[in-house]
């Protein structure tokens, strides 16, 4: 069952499974219904029941009496395979899933939710895709995005490369939104791609009237057919269902917990937008790699032992020392303002440099760039061997450091990689023009 933690332990102790008819008595109220799969894999002590009325209800079961009434079978959706002939006039787009479900098939009679992982599933949930391309689909993993790890970035990159080698004209990656920008950056550094690679997801599940899944998926397929042969993120541009933005994978960040237009390009404009199924470049002076300009390459050696430390008032030097003592190979710091941290950290930073551990400094401000030459603190940091991160996003710089240390363990070589613009992740100069979505459209 999809329950976990305390809820799973409780149900197992009562010998209750999904599909069973149960009774929950709480606060002098009795609830009878079929135990359903959880809509979200959360750890709260509650269950979801399908009532005789047809409604689903979530009930907290702490301080409640739960009784098994009748054994049942887990509700499933069993659908025959679709018979669809490939259209030679259309492009071939592969859609792979890491667990971020942008489309689902829902049986409202039983409450069963079937994630759309295969091509058949996707086409049943979004048949309009057939008008746009020949679609193939598969799940390469099924995890919550907060459980993403560098080793899973490698798995995703290899799966994307396999699809390209098998003839895909573009690849869409379905992903949970919380760490989507980390994966986008990782795929950007790992892969040289001759075709578009588009990462998308949904802020709101497919069974909600306000879901953003349909527009995001359809727009992503449009991008996969375009000439933008980079790793991008395609998500809602506004709270309305009218257009989506295409963000460079190394420049994008999730900025709001629940808004549908949560993803912003930082320190740059989005590459393009999708409206009415058409891709339109936003800033024609903003260069990007075009389809077929390079051969597929994959450089997927990563160093997972990289720390990510945020500077804050009262931060202790022992936090840096801990990472050094534990054998971390690199440290990404999110500093204040222009890229600063307290003076009392400098001896630990010097120690890191002496032990060949690169420390890269970015800024918590997100917009603008680090500059360690303005104030004495910054100059001390430079003298201590700290590598300035320019205008890179902290998350992007962290991923780049993980990748750079996979390519070389030599401090100077890592420093050169981190200070070189490889995938549009940094500019020589930053402009306030793009602060808070001033794209000049």
């Amino acid at each position: 069952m999809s329950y976990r933690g305390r809820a799973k332990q409780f149900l197992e102790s009562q010998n209750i499974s999904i599909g069973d008819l149960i009774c929950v008595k709480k606060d002098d109220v009795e609830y009878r219904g079929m135990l359903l799969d959880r809509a979200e894999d959360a750890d709260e002590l509650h269950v979801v029941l399908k009532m005789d009325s047809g409604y689903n209800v979530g009930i907290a079961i702490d301080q409640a009496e739960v009784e098994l009434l009748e054994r049942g079978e887990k509700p499933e959706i069993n659908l025959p395979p679709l018979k669809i002939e490939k259209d030679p006039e259309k492009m071939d787009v592969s859609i792979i899933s890491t667990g971020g479900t942008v489309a689902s098939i829902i049986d409202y009679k039983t409450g069963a939710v079937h994630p759309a992982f295969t091509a058949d599933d996707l086409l049943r949930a979004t048949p309009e895709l057939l008008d746009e391309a020949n679609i193939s689909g598969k799940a390469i993993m099924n995890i919550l995005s907060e459980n993403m790890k560098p080793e899973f970035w490698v798995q995703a990159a290899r799966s994307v490369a396999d699809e390209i080698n098998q003839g895909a004209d573009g690849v869409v990656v379905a992903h949970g939104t919380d760490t989507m920008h980390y994966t986008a950056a990782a795929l950007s550094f790992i892969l040289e791609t001759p075709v578009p690679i588009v990462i998308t997801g949904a802020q709101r599940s497919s069974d909600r009237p306000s879901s953003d899944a349909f527009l995001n998926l359809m727009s992503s397929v449009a991008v996969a057919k375009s000439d933008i042969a980079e790793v991008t993120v395609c998500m809602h541009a506004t709270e309305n269902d009218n257009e989506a933005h295409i963000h460079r994978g190394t420049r994008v960040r999730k900025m709001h917990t629940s808004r549908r237009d949560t993803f912003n390009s930082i320190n740059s404009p989005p590459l393009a937008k999708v409206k009415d199924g058409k891709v339109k470049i936003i800033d024609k002076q903003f260069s990007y790699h075009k389809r077929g300009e390079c051969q597929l390459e994959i450089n997927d050696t990563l160093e997972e032992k990289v720390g990510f430390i945020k500077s804050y008032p009262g931060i202790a030097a022992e936090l840096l020392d801990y990472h050094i003592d534990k054998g971390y190979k690199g440290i990404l710091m999110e500093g204040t303002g222009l890229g600063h941290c307290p003076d009392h950290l400098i001896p630990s930073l010097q120690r890191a440099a002496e032990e060949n551990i690169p420390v890269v400094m970015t800024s918590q401000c997100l917009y603008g760039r680090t500059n360690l030459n303005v104030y004495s603190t910054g100059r001390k940091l430079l003298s201590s061997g700290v590598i300035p991160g320019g205008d890179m996003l902290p998350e992007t710089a962290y991923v780049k450091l993980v990748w750079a240390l996979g390519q070389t363990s030599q401090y100077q070589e890592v420093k050169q990689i981190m200070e070189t613009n490889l995938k549009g992740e940094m500019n020589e100069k930053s402009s306030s023009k793009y602060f808070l979505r001033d794209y000049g459209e």
Side-chain angles (χ1 to χ4, degrees), residues 251-308:
R251 284 292 190 179
V252 65
R253 193 177 195 273
K254 184 175 181 178
M255 301 296 289
H256 195 277
T257 59
S258 57
R259 283 178 66 102
R260 299 193 296 177
D261 58 347
T262 178
F263 282 89
N264 285 14
S265 287
I266 308 297
N267 287 319
S268 73
L271 281 171
K273 65 181 178 181
V274 184
K275 188 169 185 178
D276 299 325
K278 306 296 183 183
V279 176
K280 179 184 178 182
I281 302 300
I282 288 178
D283 187 344
K284 292 182 171 56
Q285 302 302 313
F286 195 54
S287 63
Y288 59 92
H289 294 289
K290 296 179 175 62
R291 180 184 291 275
E293 283 187 343
C294 69
Q295 297 294 315
L296 177 66
E297 292 184 20
I298 180 167
N299 297 296
D300 61 2
T301 304
L302 305 180
E303 173 53 66
E304 296 193 22
K305 208 152 189 184
V306 173
F308 195 154

Side-chain angles (χ1 to χ4, degrees), residues 133-146:
N134 297 310
I135 303 294
S136 64
K138 66 179 180 181
I140 60 172
M141 62 187 83
N142 185 17
I143 63 170
L144 298 170
S145 68
E146 60 264 31

Side-chain angles (χ1 to χ4, degrees), residues 38 77 106 175 208 285 342 371 390 413:
R38 289 277 284 276
I77 301 174
I106 303 167
H175 196 291
R208 294 177 62 182
Q285 302 302 313
N371 189 338
E413 292 178 358

Side-chain angles (χ1 to χ4, degrees), residues 2 26 115 232 328 402:
S2 63
K26 183 176 181 180
T232 60
Y328 277 71
V402 168

